[in-house]
């Protein structure tokens, strides 16, 4: 059976430190059919765009809105194939990522298939990096809730034309909202353990900036009453029972007290983001 043709869409902004890693993974892909790579620069102010222009891949520009979702929409519209594979600029795809993800999508007759994100630690003793690996981009857990993260997801392009594109004004969380909307409309969502991308754990600064974007993204998703409750809740001390349970589920050797500060700081930053937003990705 011949593999279907695929379009890979990647938004990028100010990621010159990750470009060579990103491109190396794309060049090592092993896929027995045609595929295209579309990288959409979202108004980079470093050397990202210049470096990409020297690569063999298609490079587009999105400068109207500083949002990774607006950039993805441009890539989707440019895509010429019926299956779109998404990943992020700071990810490195495994050589069989595309073949495993697409094969799973086809075999399961899914509309959306989410792959596995494996974290790469710079400092395994860092409580901030441990926190990031525990709570972010767990597609297996997300799929169990009818959601997925675009760091690693395969989608049938027809869904965008049949239903809707991403909200291009969103700063964060729109991938979760969009996939959940599709799931609620009856689209089949599944998880593929063998479609792997690697992602570096975030530093303290990166984690807090991400938290602000998440808070700002909530403004596009929820009503005023929920936002008020979300804002107030962010300043309350974390529930140790909840976090100990998560540590147990993830089979982590870390104890609650070691990540308590990051958990609380992130919660406060999310509340702060509701009011003031965060830097564009």
């Amino acid at each position: 059976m011949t593999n279907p043709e695929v379009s890979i869409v990647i938004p990028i902004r100010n990621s010159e430190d990750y470009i060579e890693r990103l491109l190396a993974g794309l060049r090592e892909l092993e896929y027995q059919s045609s595929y295209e790579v579309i990288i959409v620069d979202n108004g980079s102010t470093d050397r990202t765009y210049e470096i990409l222009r020297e690569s063999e891949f298609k490079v587009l520009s999105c400068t109207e809105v500083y949002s990774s979702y607006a950039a993805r929409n441009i890539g989707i519209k440019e895509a010429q194939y019926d299956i779109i594979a998404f990943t992020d600029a700071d990810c490195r795809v495994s050589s069989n990522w595309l073949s495993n993800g697409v094969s799973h999508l086809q075999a399961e007759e899914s509309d959306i298939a989410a792959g596995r994100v494996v974290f790469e630690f710079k400092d395994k003793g860092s409580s901030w990096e441990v926190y990031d690996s525990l709570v972010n981009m767990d597609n297996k857990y997300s799929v169990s809730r009818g959601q997925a993260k675009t760091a690693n997801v395969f989608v049938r392009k027809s869904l965008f034309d049949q239903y809707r594109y991403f909200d291009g004004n969103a700063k964060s969380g729109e991938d979760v909202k969009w996939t959940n909307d599709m799931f609620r409309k009856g689209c089949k969502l599944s998880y593929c353990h063998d479609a792997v991308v690697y992602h570096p754990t975030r530093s303290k600064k990166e984690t807090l900036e991400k938290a602000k974007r998440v808070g700002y993204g909530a403004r596009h998703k929820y009503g005023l009453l929920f936002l008020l409750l979300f804002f107030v809740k962010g300043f309350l001390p974390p529930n140790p029972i909840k976090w100990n349970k998560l540590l147990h589920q993830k089979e982590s050797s870390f104890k609650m007290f070691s990540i308590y500060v990051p958990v609380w700081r992130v919660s406060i930053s999310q509340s702060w983001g509701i009011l003031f937003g965060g830097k564009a990705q």
Side-chain angles (χ1 to χ4, degrees):
M1 180 176 172
T2 305
N3 288 328
E5 297 167 318
V6 183
S7 297
I8 301 172
V9 173
I10 306 167
I12 193 167
R13 175 176 165 81
N14 292 341
S15 299
E16 62 181 358
D17 293 342
Y18 295 106
I19 289 178
E20 293 306 325
R21 182 174 174 275
L22 169 71
L23 297 180
L26 294 170
R27 289 170 180 142
E28 294 170 3
L29 280 172
E30 299 171 357
Y31 189 66
Q32 301 303 312
S33 187
S34 297
Y35 65 92
E36 63 176 349
V37 177
I38 303 171
I39 304 176
V40 186
D41 181 76
N42 192 207
S44 293
T45 56
D46 61 4
R47 294 185 60 249
T48 293
Y49 188 72
E50 287 76 10
I51 296 171
L52 287 175
R53 292 290 292 175
E54 297 176 0
S55 75
E56 67 271 37
F57 302 119
K58 184 180 295 186
V59 181
L60 304 177
S61 179
C62 171
T63 56
E64 294 80 11
V65 182
Y66 292 142
S67 163
S68 62
Y69 303 105
R72 289 186 183 97
N73 285 342
I74 287 178
I76 294 164
K77 292 172 183 176
E78 181 72 15
Q80 60 179 317
Y81 299 133
D82 295 332
I83 293 176
I84 298 180
F86 292 102
T87 190
D88 288 341
D90 50 2
C91 290
R92 178 173 62 86
V93 300
S94 57
S95 61
N96 58 6
W97 166 69
L98 198 58
S99 58
N100 287 347
V102 173
S103 295
H104 173 93
L105 186 80
Q106 298 290 83
E108 295 294 323
E109 298 182 346
S110 297
D111 298 296
I112 305 169
R116 179 164 56 109
V117 178
V118 175
F119 284 93
E120 297 176 325
F121 286 80
K122 296 179 282 292
D123 176 7
K124 288 192 174 182
S126 166
S127 59
W128 288 94
E129 293 188 40
V130 170
Y131 169 84
D132 187 42
S133 69
L134 285 172
V135 304
N136 287 316
M137 292 180 286
D138 185 346
N139 265 336
K140 183 177 182 180
Y141 175 71
S142 293
V143 167
S144 72
R145 303 181 67 192
Q147 306 166 352
K149 309 290 181 67
T150 43
N152 187 359
V153 73
F154 302 81
V155 180
R156 297 190 186 276
K157 186 181 179 183
S158 58
L159 298 186
F160 295 102
D161 296 323
Q162 183 177 355
Y163 297 109
R164 69 174 180 88
Y165 282 68
F166 295 118
D167 177 356
N169 292 312
K171 281 194 175 183
S172 184
E174 172 62 8
D175 48 352
V176 170
K177 187 176 188 303
W178 186 88
T179 51
N180 189 245
D181 284 350
M182 298 303 106
F183 178 74
R184 291 176 180 274
K185 291 180 184 297
C187 298
K188 184 175 180 181
L189 171 64
S190 60
Y191 173 71
C192 179
H193 179 84
D194 296 325
V196 178
V197 304
Y198 299 91
H199 189 283
T201 47
R202 294 183 178 92
S203 65
K204 174 182 176 180
K205 179 181 178 181
E206 293 168 331
T207 300
L208 293 178
E209 283 297 338
K210 169 69 175 178
K212 290 177 185 176
R213 291 197 299 272
V214 169
Y216 186 84
R219 291 168 59 172
H220 294 271
K221 295 190 293 182
Y222 304 118
L224 183 60
L225 178 59
F226 184 90
L227 282 176
L228 178 61
L229 293 173
F230 186 75
F231 178 82
V232 173
K233 182 176 179 293
F235 292 93
L236 300 177
N239 182 343
I241 297 176
K242 169 189 170 182
W243 287 96
N244 274 320
K245 182 179 179 181
L246 178 63
L247 288 165
H248 178 73
Q249 289 174 344
K250 295 294 184 74
E251 299 180 350
S252 174
S253 60
F254 281 79
K255 303 300 182 184
M256 174 59 199
F257 70 84
S258 67
I259 62 167
Y260 196 84
V261 170
V263 170
W264 201 351
R265 286 287 304 277
V266 165
S267 182
I268 293 171
S269 291
Q270 287 178 349
S271 293
W272 191 254
I274 292 174
L275 295 180
F276 302 105
K279 293 180 181 179
Q281 289 177 291

